[in-house]
Coordinates of all heavy atoms in Angstrom, one line a residue:
T105 N 201.5 208.5 155.5 CA 200.9 207.3 156.0 C 201.7 206.7 157.2 O 201.3 206.3 158.2 CB 200.6 206.2 155.0 OG1 199.8 206.8 153.9 CG2 199.9 205.0 155.5
M106 N 203.0 206.6 156.9 CA 204.0 206.0 157.9 C 203.9 206.8 159.2 O 203.9 206.3 160.3 CB 205.4 206.0 157.3 CG 205.6 204.9 156.3 SD 207.2 205.0 155.5 CE 208.3 204.5 156.9
K107 N 203.9 208.2 159.1 CA 203.8 209.1 160.2 C 202.5 208.9 161.0 O 202.5 209.0 162.2 CB 204.1 210.5 159.8 CG 205.5 210.8 159.4 CD 205.7 212.3 159.0 CE 207.1 212.6 158.7 NZ 207.4 214.0 158.4
I108 N 201.4 208.8 160.3 CA 200.1 208.6 161.0 C 200.1 207.4 161.7 O 199.7 207.3 162.9 CB 199.0 208.7 159.9 CG1 198.7 210.1 159.4 CG2 197.7 208.2 160.5 CD1 198.1 211.1 160.4
I109 N 200.6 206.3 161.1 CA 200.5 204.9 161.7 C 201.4 204.8 162.9 O 201.0 204.3 164.0 CB 200.8 203.9 160.7 CG1 199.7 203.8 159.6 CG2 200.9 202.5 161.4 CD1 199.9 202.9 158.5
F110 N 202.7 205.3 162.7 CA 203.7 205.0 163.7 C 203.9 206.2 164.8 O 204.5 206.0 165.9 CB 205.0 204.7 163.1 CG 205.0 203.4 162.3 CD1 204.9 203.5 160.9 CD2 205.1 202.2 162.9 CE1 204.9 202.3 160.2 CE2 205.0 201.0 162.1 CZ 204.9 201.1 160.8
I111 N 203.5 207.4 164.4 CA 203.8 208.5 165.2 C 202.5 208.9 166.0 O 202.6 209.3 167.2 CB 204.3 209.7 164.5 CG1 205.7 209.4 163.9 CG2 204.5 210.9 165.4 CD1 206.3 210.5 163.0
F112 N 201.3 208.9 165.4 CA 200.2 209.4 166.0 C 199.9 208.8 167.4 O 199.5 209.4 168.4 CB 198.9 209.3 165.1 CG 197.6 209.9 165.7 CD1 197.4 211.2 165.7 CD2 196.7 209.0 166.3 CE1 196.3 211.8 166.3 CE2 195.6 209.6 166.8 CZ 195.3 210.9 166.8
P113 N 200.0 207.4 167.5 CA 199.7 206.8 168.8 C 200.7 207.1 169.9 O 200.4 206.9 171.1 CB 199.7 205.3 168.5 CG 199.6 205.2 167.0 CD 200.3 206.4 166.5
V114 N 202.0 207.5 169.5 CA 203.0 207.7 170.6 C 202.7 208.7 171.6 O 202.9 208.4 172.8 CB 204.4 208.0 169.8 CG1 205.4 208.3 170.9 CG2 204.8 206.8 168.9
P115 N 202.2 209.9 171.2 CA 201.9 210.9 172.3 C 200.9 210.4 173.3 O 200.8 210.7 174.5 CB 201.4 212.1 171.5 CG 202.0 212.0 170.2 CD 202.0 210.5 169.9
I116 N 199.9 209.6 172.8 CA 198.9 209.0 173.7 C 199.6 208.0 174.7 O 199.3 208.1 175.9 CB 197.9 208.2 172.8 CG1 197.2 209.1 171.9 CG2 196.8 207.6 173.8 CD1 196.3 208.4 170.9
L117 N 200.5 207.2 174.2 CA 201.3 206.4 175.1 C 202.1 207.1 176.1 O 202.2 206.8 177.3 CB 202.1 205.4 174.3 CG 203.0 204.4 175.0 CD1 202.1 203.4 175.9 CD2 203.9 203.6 174.1
V118 N 202.8 208.2 175.6 CA 203.6 209.0 176.5 C 202.7 209.6 177.6 O 203.1 209.6 178.8 CB 204.3 210.1 175.6 CG1 205.0 211.1 176.6 CG2 205.3 209.5 174.7
S119 N 201.5 210.1 177.2 CA 200.7 210.8 178.2 C 200.2 209.7 179.3 O 200.1 210.1 180.5 CB 199.5 211.4 177.6 OG 198.7 210.5 177.0
L120 N 199.9 208.5 178.8 CA 199.5 207.5 179.8 C 200.6 207.1 180.8 O 200.4 207.0 182.0 CB 199.1 206.2 179.0 CG 197.8 206.4 178.2 CD1 197.6 205.1 177.4 CD2 196.6 206.6 179.1
L121 N 201.9 207.0 180.3 CA 203.0 206.7 181.1 C 203.4 207.8 182.1 O 203.6 207.6 183.2 CB 204.2 206.3 180.2 CG 204.0 205.1 179.3 CD1 205.3 204.9 178.4 CD2 203.9 203.9 180.1

Side-chain angles (χ1 to χ4, degrees):
T105 302
M106 291 174 68
K107 288 185 176 181
I108 287 288
I109 293 174
F110 295 105
I111 297 178
F112 183 78
V114 174
I116 303 173
L117 179 61
V118 170
S119 65
L120 293 173
L121 295 177

